[in-house]
């Protein structure tokens, strides 16, 4: 019941269904897929098998059966006779009776141990869920703290170096809140404009080509925002490894944004999922954090 309350607090509907079945018992027609992400816990405990088999009994019934088996086991403890047998036949009969009691007790003990192990395994799956949920919450708190610090640095960077980008951030947030495919595509297009605005501020367009670190000339005109951001990175950082890393991150980010931009520019519907848009924008935000770090180092120098 405590685990079920935990599942409600974290809004885990899969776990709520799983704990409800553990309390009430499993129906005749049931598929592991109904438990979603929690099916792994049930399979790990032995409640479900890979071939679709499962135990029907609820945890309360298993616990009651276990208590009943324990009572039978205690009642079946062999009792040795207190008097000596008067003859060989009586002694042999007493021995056989005692051996029968030992055998019955051993059988009941084996059944009880198996049932106790099964019950403990089913309970441990619930404990494992609670533990994993706690770790997930703690990790989420750490990640939130880290991202809050990143957000502070990015916001300060935008205010100082590219105040026009703030409007793009607001536009992205508004489009993401709407959630439909068209709005998500517009959010990613606004993300591209955001990078363009940053490039205008950090490395203004020029008709003169930029000579990159590998000696290759790059165009840094109005439309070559990616080249201009790379030029800013190259002129601000001395570490070759960091330059390559940031250039690769930018290349991957721009490739995703340019695909959506080209489709929308041609009037073609861009299929963008919420997860794809969210991850792309988070990637863009993290890259802005890298630019903020680069700009901070440039200012210190």
């Amino acid at each position: 019941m405590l685990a079920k309350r935990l599942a409600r607090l974290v809004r885990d509907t899969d776990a709520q269904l799983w704990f409800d079945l553990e309390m009430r018992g499993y129906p005749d027609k049931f598929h592991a897929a109904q438990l979603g992400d929690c099916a792994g816990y049930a399979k790990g405990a032995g409640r479900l098998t890979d071939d679709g088999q499962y135990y029907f009994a609820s945890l309360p019934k298993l616990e009651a059966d276990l208590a009943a088996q324990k009572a039978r086991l205690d009642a079946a403890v062999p009792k040795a006779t207190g008097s000596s047998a008067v003859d060989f036949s009586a002694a042999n009969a007493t021995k056989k009776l005692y051996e029968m009691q030992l055998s019955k007790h051993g059988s009941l003990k084996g059944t009880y141990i198996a049932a106790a192990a099964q019950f403990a395994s089913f309970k441990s799956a619930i404990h494992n869920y609670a533990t994993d949920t706690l770790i997930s919450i703690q990790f989420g708190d750490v990640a939130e703290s880290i991202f809050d610090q990143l957000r502070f640095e990015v916001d300060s960077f935008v205010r100082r170096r590219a105040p026009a980008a703030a409007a793009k951030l607001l536009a992205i947030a508004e489009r993401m809140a709407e959630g439909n495919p068209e709005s998500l595509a517009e959010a990613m297009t606004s993300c591209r404009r955001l990078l363009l605005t940053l490039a205008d501020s950090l490395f203004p367009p020029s008709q003169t080509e930029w000579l990159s670190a590998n000696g290759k000339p790059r165009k840094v005109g109005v439309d070559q925002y990616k080249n201009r951001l790379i030029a800013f990175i190259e002129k601000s950082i001395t570490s070759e490894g960091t330059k390559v890393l940031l250039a690769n991150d930018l290349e991957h980010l721009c490739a995703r944004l340019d695909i959506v931009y080209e489709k929308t520019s041609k009037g073609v519907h861009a299929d963008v999922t919420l997860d794809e848009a969210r991850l792309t924008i988070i990637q863009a935000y993290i890259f802005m954090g890298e630019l903020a770090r680069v700009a901070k180092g440039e200012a210190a120098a």
Side-chain angles (χ1 to χ4, degrees), residues 23 170 217:
M23 292 295 296
L170 291 175

Side-chain angles (χ1 to χ4, degrees), residues 262-269:
E262 290 172 4
K263 284 186 176 182
T264 54
S265 296
K266 296 176 181 178
V268 179
H269 178 70

Side-chain angles (χ1 to χ4, degrees), residues 198-215:
L198 288 172
D200 290 343
S201 174
L202 299 173
F203 197 101
S206 172
Q207 296 298 323
T208 304
E209 293 184 340
W210 167 264
L211 192 63
S212 63
N214 59 7

Side-chain angles (χ1 to χ4, degrees), residues 53-54 57 71 81 109 123 125 132 173 176 180 214 247 261 277 283 289:
Q53 302 298 314
Y54 56 95
T81 180
K109 183 178 181 181
K123 285 199 305 180
D132 291 347
M176 288 293 294
N180 58 70
N214 59 7
Y261 176 75
Q283 183 182 355

Side-chain angles (χ1 to χ4, degrees), residues 22 58 80 111 128 161 166 205 268 277:
E22 290 291 335
S58 66
T111 303
N128 289 340
R161 298 296 298 269
V268 179

Side-chain angles (χ1 to χ4, degrees), residues 4-253:
K4 190 173 181 180
R5 183 184 177 193
L6 172 63
R8 287 199 302 270
L9 291 174
V10 298
R11 296 178 175 82
D12 189 340
T13 55
D14 291 341
Q16 291 181 54
L17 173 61
W18 174 37
F19 297 143
D20 189 50
L21 292 174
E22 290 291 335
M23 292 295 296
R24 296 187 296 105
Y26 286 69
D28 293 336
K29 294 182 179 180
F30 171 78
H31 299 285
Q34 293 176 240
L35 296 184
D37 294 336
C38 290
Y41 290 105
K43 286 183 179 181
R47 169 70 83 170
L48 310 177
T49 61
D50 292 332
D51 58 358
Q53 302 298 314
Y54 56 95
Y55 288 92
F56 291 86
S58 66
L59 282 179
K61 184 179 185 306
L62 290 174
E63 188 174 23
D65 291 344
L66 186 62
Q69 290 182 33
K70 182 64 167 60
R72 287 196 295 270
L73 178 64
D74 293 340
V77 174
K79 299 177 179 60
T81 180
S83 58
S84 58
V86 294
D87 55 30
F88 177 78
S89 297
N92 191 41
T94 301
K95 180 181 178 182
K96 286 185 177 180
L97 177 62
Y98 187 73
E99 289 176 349
M100 287 176 60
Q101 291 178 342
L102 282 175
S103 177
K104 181 180 179 181
H105 184 266
S107 177
L108 290 173
K109 183 178 181 181
T111 303
Y112 173 77
I113 290 175
Q118 182 185 65
F119 181 64
S121 180
F122 291 174
K123 285 199 305 180
S124 70
I126 299 176
H127 183 270
N128 289 340
Y129 169 84
T131 303
D132 291 347
T133 301
L134 174 61
I135 294 173
S136 176
I137 291 173
Q138 291 175 334
F139 176 77
D141 290 342
V142 172
E144 183 178 0
S145 175
I146 293 172
F147 198 81
D148 282 344
Q149 180 60 33
L150 172 65
R151 185 175 63 182
F152 174 78
E153 295 178 357
V154 170
D155 290 348
S156 298
F157 165 67
V158 168
R159 285 196 303 269
R160 287 184 289 105
R161 298 296 298 269
K168 305 297 187 301
L169 287 171
L170 291 175
I172 291 170
E174 291 171 357
R175 299 290 82 74
M176 288 293 294
E178 295 175 7
N180 58 70
E182 292 78 10
S183 297
L184 296 176
E186 290 176 8
M188 294 185 68
T189 301
S190 295
C191 191
R192 183 180 183 277
R193 296 194 190 102
L194 171 63
L195 293 181
L196 182 60
T197 302
L198 288 172
D200 290 343
S201 174
L202 299 173
F203 197 101
S206 172
Q207 296 298 323
T208 304
E209 293 184 340
W210 167 264
L211 192 63
S212 63
N214 59 7
K216 180 181 178 181
R218 291 178 180 271
K219 292 184 178 181
V220 286
V222 175
D223 295 330
Q224 287 81 38
Y225 73 98
K226 180 174 67 176
N227 286 350
R228 289 191 280 132
L229 288 174
I230 291 177
F232 168 73
I233 292 170
E234 288 184 347
K235 78 181 185 65
S236 305
I237 298 178
T238 57
S239 171
E240 292 299 327
T242 304
K243 290 179 183 179
V244 172
L245 180 63
L246 294 183
N248 289 337
D249 289 345
L250 179 61
E251 188 73 36
H252 180 259
L253 174 61

